[in-house]
Amino acid sequence: MRHRYSVLLFPLHVFFDFVCLNASFAGAYWLKFGDLASIAQPPYQSLWIAFNVVWATIILLTRPYIFPRQLFKAIPLLKKLVYLTALHAAVIAIFWLFVKGVYFSRGQLAYTYILFLLAGGLFRLGGLLFLQEYRARGYNNRRFIVVGYGKLAKTITDFYKVHPEMGFRFQGYFDWPTEENKDALAGSYTDLSKFVRREEIDCVYCCLPYIDNTQLKGIIDQSDLLDFQVKLLVDFRGFLTKGASVEYHDFLPVLNLSSQDLDDFRVAFLKRAFDVAFSLCVLLAGAPIFALVALITRFTSAGPIFYMQERIGHRGKPFMIYKFRSMYVDAEKAGPSLSQGHIDNRITPWGRVMRQTRIDELPQFLNVLFGSMSVVGPRPERQYFIDKITEIAPEYTELLKVKPGITSIGQIRFGYAANVDEMVERLRFDLLYPKRRSLLLDLWIIAHTLRVMAQGRGR
């Protein structure tokens, strides 16, 4: 019989947990009272019985010892132990209140759970190491084949080669033979049933790109008769997002690949509330500064006080961005170009001061109030430069999933970009934001922006 020793894992796990539980109870009693003479007598007799009955009930209800081999690792095992122990402690606390056990020692109970966590944890880690070594040496194996030959098929076989401790042994590829794959195959679809029966195959991986529904249905129909598992292998690499979820339309499962994190209502609501409150405070408290900057801008160079330019915002929607004018009028009459910092003759002397202290960005708090921008977010760019950037770094489109901001990680770590290559370099910093955005991160970026403004290190 295949895997005749695997059926022992469950009862052994149960047995050793009961040993650990009772040994911990007795050890805690000895630590608290210095002897074991009366542990089996009232009142602790009833508590000891309750400990075992409650643990047995939890095991029957939760079935906690069933782990697939891919998840049979230290962290899941220890997390499950902590969960079970907490659940046990909660039920025992209810039992304590029910029997009005004022004569029970809280210290003894605390020692019991501490000892049990230590003993149970050591047992699990020891058992895990033993099983991994046992399986790596070729025992307690699962034999598998892959149906559908291609790059994805090689990925799963390479995975199990790297992880021999899981105990999966590859037996061959199956597909319709062609000139390219015939030397790599163990057989065709017509050979599959005989091979599975003869080699006692446990698991058949079916690669969806290389197998059609008719062939897949035939394999599934045979699985009950020949006693093997069928696992569907689909290549979602490159577009499977962290927020993917399964939706059921009646009995039809639909995989939703949209990013749930970026559409999370709570995050969006809190961020918008913070943006509005912070912008109103800045505009009201900074009104005298705004007026002074506007006057200096007006009288230091000819032209309007404010500068408006079309930028690309959230989900690719264009909007007009507001800034205090820092360049001479018609600075871009020869076409779109980026600022060259201190050597850029298009920037006015006062504009250079504004750029170093970032005060030219202050009118963008109006953009925040209107909803086209956020206080913190990746800097918005013109479509002309977005086209240039995406030719080099297509991942720029990730930034369009969030609202652009007045300040960003890229602004404080890198600053203004003088060419497309520098914009791509700044992109490395801004790409950190969409996946990690939070109120605390926004406050951290704002604090560092204020430091850059105070030190006049903007460029």
Side-chain angles (χ1 to χ4, degrees):
M1 186 177 68
R2 286 182 283 175
H3 326 305
R4 57 188 179 275
Y5 300 119
S6 294
V7 296
L8 298 176
L9 293 179
F10 178 79
L12 282 175
H13 207 156
V14 173
F15 172 76
F16 279 108
D17 266 356
F18 271 104
V19 170
C20 291
L21 183 69
N22 286 278
S24 299
F25 188 90
Y29 190 91
W30 181 82
L31 286 174
K32 182 63 179 177
F33 302 110
D35 66 76
L36 297 174
S38 57
I39 189 173
Q41 300 175 5
Y44 274 89
Q45 180 187 51
S46 61
L47 182 60
W48 198 355
I49 294 172
F51 256 71
N52 286 273
V53 171
V54 170
W55 188 259
T57 304
I58 289 174
I59 290 173
L60 291 173
L61 293 177
T62 64
R63 303 179 66 190
Y65 303 128
I66 300 175
F67 284 92
R69 292 193 178 204
Q70 293 81 359
L71 295 178
F72 197 69
K73 299 177 181 178
I75 298 301
L77 287 171
L78 295 177
K79 281 185 176 179
K80 182 68 74 172
L81 173 63
V82 172
Y83 166 75
L84 293 175
T85 305
L87 184 59
H88 186 274
V91 177
I92 290 297
I94 295 172
F95 169 79
W96 189 341
L97 292 174
F98 180 76
V99 300
K100 299 180 180 179
V102 293
Y103 30 78
F104 295 142
S105 168
R106 292 183 179 86
Q108 190 267 343
L109 288 175
Y111 289 150
T112 298
Y113 287 117
I114 292 172
L115 291 174
F116 179 63
L117 285 172
L118 291 174
L122 289 174
F123 158 68
R124 281 161 173 76
L125 293 176
L128 175 64
L129 293 174
F130 170 78
L131 272 177
Q132 288 181 342
E133 181 64 23
Y134 187 70
R135 288 167 176 167
R137 290 177 180 271
Y139 303 101
N140 190 233
N141 288 328
R142 295 289 187 270
R143 302 159 70 90
F144 77 98
I145 60 174
V146 180
V147 179
Y149 183 75
K151 290 183 179 179
L152 184 60
K154 294 178 181 178
T155 301
I156 191 65
T157 57
D158 290 342
F159 173 79
Y160 285 125
K161 284 180 183 178
V162 175
H163 296 282
E165 74 280 0
M166 290 186 180
F168 278 79
R169 296 294 177 264
F170 176 59
Q171 302 299 309
Y173 297 109
F174 285 78
D175 205 336
W176 293 122
T178 64
E179 288 298 322
E180 292 78 15
N181 68 17
K182 63 181 181 179
D183 294 333
L185 300 181
S188 68
Y189 286 99
T190 56
D191 306 318
L192 188 62
S193 298
K194 292 181 180 178
F195 188 90
V196 168
R197 191 189 303 272
R198 183 179 71 249
E199 300 298 329
E200 296 185 323
I201 298 301
D202 303 288
C203 183
V204 175
Y205 280 93
C206 297
C207 296
L208 191 58
Y210 321 122
I211 184 173
D212 61 39
N213 288 341
T214 302
Q215 293 161 343
L216 178 60
K217 184 178 183 303
I219 293 172
I220 294 173
D221 290 342
Q222 296 178 52
S223 63
D224 288 335
L225 178 64
L226 299 178
D227 189 25
F228 63 83
Q229 289 182 321
V230 179
K231 296 189 179 182
L232 194 62
L233 200 59
V234 185
D235 193 357
F236 290 124
R237 294 171 298 180
F239 62 91
L240 183 60
T241 62
K242 183 180 178 181
S245 59
V246 177
E247 301 171 352
Y248 285 92
H249 298 185
D250 289 332
F251 293 104
L252 180 66
V254 178
L255 189 62
N256 179 9
L257 300 179
S258 301
S259 175
Q260 300 299 315
D261 287 348
L262 298 179
D263 295 324
D264 184 84
F265 175 78
R266 182 179 58 85
V267 173
F269 176 81
L270 290 175
K271 186 171 178 61
R272 181 59 184 157
F274 172 79
D275 284 345
V276 171
F278 189 84
S279 298
L280 284 174
C281 290
V282 170
L283 291 172
L284 293 174
I289 298 176
F290 275 63
L292 179 61
V293 173
L295 288 173
I296 297 175
T297 303
R298 180 67 183 84
F299 290 110
T300 53
S301 64
I305 295 172
F306 296 104
Y307 173 73
M308 292 186 295
Q309 188 181 70
E310 185 181 274
R311 298 289 177 95
I312 303 301
H314 188 211
R315 304 189 188 281
K317 183 178 179 180
F319 69 97
M320 300 303 295
I321 193 172
Y322 306 118
K323 302 175 73 172
F324 283 120
R325 182 178 56 82
S326 61
M327 292 186 176
Y328 294 105
V329 176
D330 297 329
E332 289 192 327
K333 60 184 178 181
S337 60
L338 295 168
S339 171
Q340 303 299 313
H342 295 292
I343 63 172
D344 196 335
N345 294 324
R346 300 174 304 161
I347 302 176
T348 67
W350 170 241
R352 210 175 302 280
V353 174
M354 288 196 294
R355 281 173 170 258
Q356 288 176 340
T357 56
R358 301 280 173 84
I359 59 176
D360 62 320
E361 313 279 2
L362 290 178
Q364 289 165 37
F365 283 103
L366 293 172
N367 287 112
V368 176
L369 283 181
F370 297 156
S372 55
M373 290 180 66
S374 179
V375 176
V376 176
R379 289 295 297 166
E381 298 294 346
R382 286 174 276 181
Q383 187 64 57
Y384 174 84
F385 290 110
I386 290 177
D387 294 339
K388 296 287 187 183
I389 295 170
T390 51
E391 289 179 5
I392 305 172
E395 60 270 25
Y396 178 86
T397 54
E398 289 293 313
L399 300 186
L400 300 180
K401 294 180 180 179
V402 295
K403 281 186 182 181
I406 297 175
T407 185
S408 69
I409 300 176
Q411 283 293 95
I412 60 177
R413 292 297 191 191
F414 189 89
Y416 293 107
N419 52 57
V420 173
D421 289 336
E422 289 190 0
M423 295 174 86
V424 172
E425 189 175 348
R426 185 177 64 190
L427 174 66
R428 293 187 297 107
F429 297 102
D430 282 336
L431 281 173
L432 299 172
Y433 183 74
K435 295 181 179 179
R436 304 182 183 180
R437 63 176 187 158
S438 66
L439 182 58
L440 288 177
L441 179 59
D442 283 7
L443 293 175
W444 180 87
I445 294 172
I446 291 171
H448 280 270
T449 302
L450 293 174
R451 177 174 56 82
V452 170
M453 293 176 65
Q455 295 174 348
R457 294 194 296 108
R459 70 180 185 91

